[in-house]
């Protein structure tokens, strides 16, 4: 799982750099922060928060160690990471569908590859997030059980 996390982190950094570059170049060309420029910029912002999320939660791995203390992240970062995964998946599907179902659109193999990568990346992001959330829930439950046991031991002495 740590390999998946590091791979997602590297891919997210690359996506962030590309999105910021494209949005900046479009802004310079159009001289307006409307439409595609703002969409790319805000997608780059969610990916930047996703990078922060990946870096902060990298310390959670390996997922089977329950004895260490983990720093909990705010729900905002979890929500932004979910948004990034969903946007990546939906953007990939949105790029993929015209190449499949439209007769008048020429099939662009590069577009299909990019769309497929975005869908797979988004799904891996959401899957890793689900596994991490399950780990945090089990971790919290085990910590509560351990504290309850320690409280019982403390009252007997």
């Amino acid at each position: 799982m740590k390999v998946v996390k590091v791979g997602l982190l590297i891919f997210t950094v690359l996506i962030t750099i590309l999105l910021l570059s494209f949005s900046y170049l479009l802004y310079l060309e159009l001289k307006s922060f409307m439409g595609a420029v703002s969409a790319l910029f805000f997608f780059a912002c969610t990916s930047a928060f996703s990078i922060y999320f990946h870096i902060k939660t990298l310390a959670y791995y390996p997922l089977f160690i329950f004895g260490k203390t983990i720093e909990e992240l705010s729900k905002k970062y979890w929500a932004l990471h979910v948004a990034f995964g969903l946007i990546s998946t939906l953007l990939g599907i949105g790029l993929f569908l015209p190449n499949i179902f439209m007769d008048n659109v020429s099939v662009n193999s590069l577009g299909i590859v990019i769309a497929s990568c975005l869908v797979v990346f988004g799904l891996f992001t959401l899957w890793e997030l689900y596994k991490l959330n399950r780990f945090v829930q089990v971790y919290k439950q085990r910590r509560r059980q351990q504290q309850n046991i320690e409280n019982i031991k403390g009252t007997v002495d």
Side-chain angles (χ1 to χ4, degrees):
M1 278 302 288
K2 192 167 190 167
V3 173
V4 171
K5 181 70 148 178
V6 171
L8 288 172
L9 177 61
I10 290 169
F11 199 69
T12 305
V13 168
L14 292 175
I15 285 177
T16 305
I17 291 169
L18 287 173
L19 288 171
L20 287 173
S21 301
F22 288 149
S23 63
Y24 181 70
L25 291 174
L26 278 173
Y27 175 74
L28 288 178
E29 184 178 316
L30 299 175
K31 302 289 187 223
S32 173
F33 195 68
M34 303 289 282
V37 177
S38 61
L40 285 174
F41 178 74
F42 289 121
F43 187 43
C45 289
T46 60
S47 65
F49 282 114
S50 183
I51 291 170
Y52 177 78
F53 181 85
H54 281 305
I55 290 171
K56 285 301 211 177
T57 58
L58 193 60
Y60 292 7
Y61 290 91
L63 291 180
F64 56 85
I65 297 177
F66 289 97
K68 64 181 181 178
T69 304
I70 61 172
E71 175 189 343
E72 285 196 55
L73 285 175
S74 171
K75 299 284 186 207
K76 294 180 280 190
Y77 295 112
W78 287 84
L80 286 169
H81 191 62
V82 168
F84 177 68
L86 287 174
I87 291 170
S88 298
T89 304
L90 294 175
L91 182 63
I93 291 170
L95 292 172
F96 191 73
L97 290 179
N99 287 315
I100 299 297
F101 294 114
M102 298 285 191
D103 291 335
N104 58 357
V105 176
S106 64
V107 175
N108 183 355
S109 59
L110 179 62
I112 290 175
V113 169
I114 291 172
S116 300
C117 287
L118 279 172
V119 169
V120 169
F121 172 71
L123 291 175
F124 263 106
T125 298
L126 294 172
W127 174 74
E128 188 270 336
L129 183 70
Y130 169 76
K131 296 297 259 182
L132 188 63
N133 186 38
R134 293 289 305 144
F135 167 74
V136 169
Q137 296 304 320
V138 170
Y139 175 83
K140 287 179 181 179
Q141 180 183 2
R142 287 193 177 181
R143 284 299 258 194
R144 278 193 301 271
Q145 289 172 346
Q146 185 179 16
Q147 288 173 348
N148 289 340
I149 290 171
E150 288 173 1
N151 288 342
I152 292 172
K153 287 180 182 177
T155 58
V156 173
D157 292 335

